[in-house]
Amino acid sequence: METTTEAETTTTEMSTTELSTTEMSTMDSSTTEMETSSLTSTDSTTTETTTMETTTTTAKLETTTSIQGSTTPCDIAPVSTAPTLDYTVSTDYQKVTFDCSVSQSAGSVSQYAIWWYVGETIIKKQDLPAGSSFGRLESTEITNTADALTQGVSCGVVVSYPSTCGQVTSPVTRSSILKYQVTVNEASYIKIVEGAPAYPIQVDLTTSAQYYCSMKYQANCDISFTGKVQRVSNPPPKRCPDGGEIPDVVVESSLNSAATPMDATCGPVAKGATISTLIYVKAMIDRMKFGNRNSTLNIGQQDRVGQEVKPEVLLKKIVVEVKEMDSLDLHHCQSINDPHIRTFDGVYFDNFQPGEYLLYKNKDYEVEVRAAMVRCASGTCNCGVLVRSGDDVMRIDKCKWVNKTSSAYPINEQLFTNGELTPRTQIFQEKDGKQFQVMLPTGTKVTVKDSYQAFINIFIYPSAADFNKTEGLCGTYDGNQDNDLLGPDGVITKVPDPGKRPDGYSIKWRMSDVNSIFRGYRGTVAMATPIYCSCYSDGTKSCDFFGDVSSCGVTNKGVDVKQDLLTPQLGLLTPTAVGRRRKRQAAEDTVTYDLNYNAPAPDSPWPTNLNLTEEEARQMCGNYLVQSKAGVNCQNLFSGNYSQDIDNCVQDYKLTGLTIWKEDHLGGIQQNCYEEVLKDTAQWTQDANAAPSLPATITSTLCSQDCSNQGQCVDGICECNTGYGGADCSISVVTAPVILQEDSNVACDTLNNNCTHAVIRGDRFLNSSTLTCHMTEIQVNSVGISQRLTTSVSTAVFKSVSSVQCPLPAQKSYAVKISNDGTHTSVVESVFVLYQSDCYTCEVAADRTHANCSMRTTTCLIGGVCYDGGVSNPINSCQRCSPASSQFTWTTATAAGCFPPPSTTEASPPNKTAVSMNSQTVVIIASITAVIFLVICIVLATVFIVRYRAQRKKEKFMKRYETDPSVYNNGAFQKADWRPAYGDPTGTSMYNYQSSPGNVAFYDTRMALDDYFE
């Protein structure tokens, strides 16, 4: 930070008219005698005590009085020590208590008195009792406290000798004046630098905030000290091509990160005992060249009492010059396969050592970018990028496709968060998912572009907050190439000669497995999230976390995907969401690096097995890049120098024998050309009545493959002709999309997941109204798909060129194909199997249209309902699920009381010696009991036979219409359809079982006789 003048001090007294319109009534000290106030102890409810100390002020009173018996007048000297003025504010802010302390001479026969002043008017006199050293004044004794606030309260002490001098007093010795004043301790002109720490403007108060609130409002209040930019028409405000205004200066709010931007203020808030505060002013970070600009900042005070906001009072005007830090040209870092690395300051080198590498890290902020580099042919390539913001990581990668031959190589994007996502982290998908933009809270922008097969290219555009604060393979961003290859050990490696690789330096920035962030950040960080506001004198205000960073130019017609990544839609059938079961599991969330790879020397001879010689390859690359539309129209931005791009293109062909890599280098030229013209406002077309626009002569040449001659390039985006689509208009609507079964086939457990949307991954999906899902209902058994039923067609939800969603028509299993035009469907279909894990286990194949389901051996499927082993029949407690006996019928239980066997025990003959005189009676009773017992046995046997035959008849019927138990039938296995009826076995509900095709059997839950009918 720098200032151009010495600090000036502006002191503002709040005038009576500003603070109050009530006039103060004062007492004429010459005609009114103040009664001596009784002195009491300090109010226990007060919360603040402030002592005002100052030099003595003596008012010389010329008093000549004749004393009886003396011709010498009384000339009393003033008290030599000034009184000390203290004050306390009550907790309810209703009053202020002032205490004036004086020093009395020991043993003196003098009389001391305290005079209280508002301004220069005496409002109260009080004689001090003998031995007392202080007097007290309550603010409730002051007629107008608002006037007292600005005119000041003070006390004075006088001494008299009544016995010898009568009413003659000494000149008054005054205390300091307790007066509210605000001082802005800053020069009227300051200079701040874009990207530098916030500049502090100090504001001092002569009293505490709570004293001010009590005297002014008799209530608690907030005193906001604001910094607001004064709007002017010349120069006009900075505007973004999207129409938004870019502030020059922002002010930090005093609210912490726990608050919301909506509550933020345009500066600090003074409360309580505060007597000094700072207004932090910062230059807006915008990554654009607008030049140095001046703004007038109005420093003001605005009070808030409860919900009432008082009018603002201007304290001072300060001219703020903003020094721009985006004037350096072509400062970006890139890693283009194989990978060819360019530092922020323009040093080029290759890195052929696989691993996870730190490309960029800001040393002041917890932000960084890493690249996952893996072997590809004879070199290495970027398969993924890891962008960390605070303790959250955004991963954009294709690493799972490395060393695989696939019909498509879709980009995977995943967000790993620790709690809430770090504020102002933005993620956009562009060009139908072929490109991504990530902006960090520092204003640093990361662009990720799709590349050949399993690879991507990475571009990092620094902000002013990165200047001289970066480390990693991207080097030190300071405009000095000599220190770009600075290692973490502090050693600077010499910039390599052309054709050489600084492998020793590169490996220093390779991360170990322990420190990898490929699966998220393993630690926690405490990253400050300040709130900055752009405030204007006309009352407009905009506040946000990291509000000192402009979002202008972050994306070009992109789609914000942050929310989708943070809170995925419920019911999505993806491997991550449902924990897909597969026959062949793959380690999809890891990447393997060949750390022992020894790449060919960069100066090795030209291979003889290539179709092109080195000269022919150079001509091929040169013609393709230099003569392209982007090469021609962007040459002024790059000074016509594409030599490094041509060298890298030739090197790629030498290593792989493939000419397709030249497209990556053209893509790099187009990407950097767009960013440079977006940065250089001098290139824009300005319109006083509309937002500025980028030069069409350049942006119309920046589309992929020049829109394949099937569309128009507008601002770098293809507008395709009818019948074509895709980011480069290369896909005909009649072209069948490609489905990747490895990324799409899913078995979803409906007990633990809300399975409502199928997610199909692949390639060549078009964002059109005719994009459709063709869904065939299927049934699955232990062998595979046993039946294919009806096919339904519905509109697909386009997410990207590699992803669509299909809402399931019902909770059933489907084989799905996708069509771009509603007619021509994909050759391959994905499989979505819905099952219930309490009864079945299901698996899907990762590479074909196949699935199988098997019933669990510990359960029973009876009447279409799944029961765990040992569970009783809800309508017959003597029947249980016994999988060992039968998994499809109830097994009769042998518990006591269910089917008691007839008795076989015979009665013992009577003891003849025990016959007595009443034996005849005993015989009669025994006979009657035997008859009753026999009747009971007969009845029980009859009931048993009837129930047994009925049960056998029912089971025979069920077996006749039972579906093949090995077939996964969508209707039969939906347990949720049956539970309500079984949950109320004594009610009158009817429940059914449907075998398709087949008859319907109805069962009455009131089954007294356990009957059934068809």
Side-chain angles (χ1 to χ4, degrees), residues 361-475:
K361 183 179 181 181
N362 187 299
K363 291 185 283 188
D364 285 358
Y365 294 87
E366 291 289 343
V367 296
E368 64 176 298
V369 179
R370 299 186 188 183
M373 300 180 183
V374 295
R375 282 195 59 183
C376 61
S378 297
T380 58
C381 293
N382 308 299
C383 72
V385 62
L386 315 168
V387 183
R388 181 170 72 87
S389 178
D391 54 7
D392 308 311
V393 175
M394 173 68 189
R395 187 178 82 201
I396 302 172
D397 78 296
K398 299 167 72 175
C399 296
K400 68 174 291 182
W401 306 112
V402 173
N403 297 324
K404 291 183 181 179
T405 300
S406 177
S407 56
Y409 300 88
I411 294 177
N412 171 65
E413 60 274 7
Q414 192 166 356
L415 187 59
F416 302 89
T417 59
N418 287 312
E420 295 291 327
L421 179 66
T422 303
R424 293 301 300 277
T425 305
Q426 296 178 281
I427 309 165
F428 294 93
Q429 172 186 287
E430 297 178 343
K431 299 185 178 180
D432 289 348
K434 290 290 188 180
Q435 182 166 300
F436 289 84
Q437 304 282 6
V438 180
M439 192 181 83
L440 295 168
T442 54
T444 308
K445 186 167 77 168
V446 183
T447 301
V448 183
K449 296 176 71 72
D450 192 21
S451 180
Y452 176 61
Q453 290 189 349
F455 311 115
I456 60 171
N457 293 318
I458 307 166
F459 303 83
I460 304 173
Y461 301 95
S463 75
D466 292 312
F467 191 78
N468 204 28
K469 299 174 185 176
T470 63
E471 61 182 3
L473 292 181
C474 288

Side-chain angles (χ1 to χ4, degrees), residues 655-824:
L655 290 173
T656 67
L658 300 175
T659 61
I660 195 170
W661 297 108
K662 69 181 185 295
E663 296 179 9
D664 279 8
H665 298 289
L666 177 57
I669 291 173
Q670 291 175 322
Q671 173 64 31
N672 294 322
C673 181
Y674 176 82
E675 291 295 332
E676 191 60 27
V677 79
L678 176 66
K679 176 180 178 180
D680 187 2
T681 60
Q683 303 278 344
W684 297 2
T685 301
Q686 302 289 345
D687 187 338
N689 299 318
S693 59
L694 305 185
T697 54
I698 293 179
T699 59
S700 63
T701 66
L702 304 181
C703 290
S704 301
Q705 301 299 315
D706 197 22
C707 299
S708 305
N709 296 320
Q710 293 295 341
Q712 261 192 319
C713 185
V714 179
D715 291 334
I717 304 295
C718 285
E719 295 182 356
C720 301
N721 299 335
T722 302
Y724 288 87
D728 58 0
C729 300
S730 63
I731 306 174
S732 169
V733 294
V734 300
T735 301
V738 174
I739 289 180
L740 283 176
Q741 292 171 320
E742 180 175 350
D743 255 15
S744 303
N745 291 356
V746 170
C748 184
D749 176 12
T750 58
L751 287 183
N752 300 309
N753 299 280
N754 183 18
C755 311
T756 59
H757 287 71
V759 178
I760 293 90
R761 300 269 291 167
D763 195 14
R764 306 181 76 80
F765 299 127
L766 293 183
N767 188 8
S768 68
S769 59
T770 55
L771 182 67
T772 49
C773 305
H774 298 250
M775 312 180 73
T776 302
E777 183 183 344
I778 60 175
Q779 292 181 353
V780 182
N781 61 18
S782 59
V783 178
I785 298 175
S786 60
Q787 291 191 62
R788 288 178 174 267
L789 305 176
T790 58
T791 298
S792 60
V793 179
S794 61
T795 301
V797 179
F798 178 86
K799 303 303 290 186
S800 72
V801 69
S802 59
S803 179
V804 297
Q805 295 178 8
C806 293
L808 300 185
Q811 286 282 290
K812 299 181 179 182
S813 298
Y814 294 92
V816 182
K817 293 185 176 183
I818 303 297
S819 173
N820 284 325
D821 64 350
T823 303
H824 299 83

Side-chain angles (χ1 to χ4, degrees), residues 90-333:
S90 63
T91 55
D92 60 4
Y93 287 79
Q94 290 294 307
K95 68 175 181 178
V96 177
T97 300
F98 301 91
D99 288 326
C100 185
S101 300
V102 300
S103 298
Q104 296 190 24
S105 301
S108 173
V109 294
S110 59
Q111 172 68 53
Y112 284 83
I114 292 178
W115 296 356
W116 291 98
Y117 292 82
V118 169
E120 295 303 318
T121 303
I122 299 175
I123 63 169
K124 180 179 180 179
K125 292 181 178 181
Q126 58 184 155
D127 292 336
L128 297 182
S132 177
S133 61
F134 75 93
R136 173 165 294 172
L137 174 72
E138 303 284 359
S139 61
T140 52
E141 300 177 66
I142 301 174
T143 304
N144 191 319
T145 56
D147 281 350
L149 182 68
T150 57
Q151 294 181 22
V153 175
S154 63
C155 67
V157 60
V158 296
V159 63
S160 63
Y161 298 91
S163 61
T164 58
C165 294
Q167 299 299 317
V168 177
T169 64
S170 68
V172 64
T173 302
R174 296 277 292 272
S175 71
S176 63
I177 300 176
L178 186 59
K179 184 178 183 180
Y180 180 76
Q181 291 179 330
V182 182
T183 302
V184 180
N185 288 308
E186 189 50 72
S188 297
Y189 179 91
I190 61 175
K191 180 182 289 187
I192 61 178
V193 179
E194 182 183 2
Y199 186 94
I201 298 175
Q202 184 167 328
V203 179
D204 294 325
L205 313 181
T206 55
T207 70
S208 68
Q210 64 183 14
Y211 173 82
Y212 170 83
C213 293
S214 180
M215 294 292 286
K216 181 75 187 270
Y217 305 113
Q218 290 77 55
N220 190 10
C221 71
D222 292 343
I223 309 174
S224 295
F225 292 102
T226 60
K228 297 183 178 181
V229 175
Q230 185 174 310
R231 285 193 183 275
V232 294
S233 57
N234 189 24
K238 298 186 295 186
R239 293 199 175 276
C240 182
D242 64 10
E245 183 173 325
I246 306 173
D248 289 310
V249 176
V250 292
V251 177
E252 184 177 4
S253 173
S254 63
L255 298 183
N256 57 35
S257 59
T260 62
M262 182 180 293
D263 302 324
T265 57
C266 300
V269 177
K271 295 182 179 181
T274 301
I275 60 173
S276 183
T277 189
L278 296 171
I279 300 175
Y280 286 98
V281 180
K282 206 163 187 281
M284 175 65 84
I285 297 171
D286 54 26
R287 301 179 311 282
M288 295 179 180
K289 296 191 286 187
F290 284 101
N292 295 353
R293 291 170 58 92
N294 287 359
S295 297
T296 299
L297 188 68
N298 292 344
I299 305 298
Q301 174 183 332
Q302 190 166 41
D303 302 341
R304 178 171 183 158
V305 184
Q307 297 301 314
E308 182 184 3
V309 178
K310 303 293 184 179
E312 189 168 8
V313 177
L314 177 64
L315 303 178
K316 186 172 185 176
K317 291 178 179 285
I318 298 176
V319 176
V320 181
E321 180 185 350
V322 175
K323 181 181 179 181
E324 178 204 288
M325 290 298 293
D326 296 311
S327 58
L328 297 177
D329 292 330
L330 304 176
H331 279 258
H332 67 275
C333 175

Side-chain angles (χ1 to χ4, degrees), residues 14-81:
M14 311 301 283
S15 68
T16 302
T17 55
E18 290 173 337
L19 297 175
S20 174
T21 58
T22 305
E23 295 183 357
M24 175 181 290
S25 298
T26 61
M27 302 175 65
D28 187 344
S29 62
S30 64
T31 60
T32 305
E33 289 288 338
M34 301 297 294
E35 296 182 358
T36 302
S37 301
S38 59
L39 300 179
T40 59
S41 61
T42 303
D43 191 340
S44 62
T45 64
T46 57
T47 60
E48 176 198 29
T49 300
T50 301
T51 301
M52 307 298 294
E53 297 181 354
T54 157
T55 58
T56 303
T57 301
T58 302
K60 190 79 171 178
L61 298 181
E62 295 295 337
T63 304
T64 303
T65 304
S66 297
I67 301 177
Q68 187 175 3
S70 174
T71 59
T72 303
C74 286
D75 190 2
I76 305 173
V79 176
S80 60
T81 303

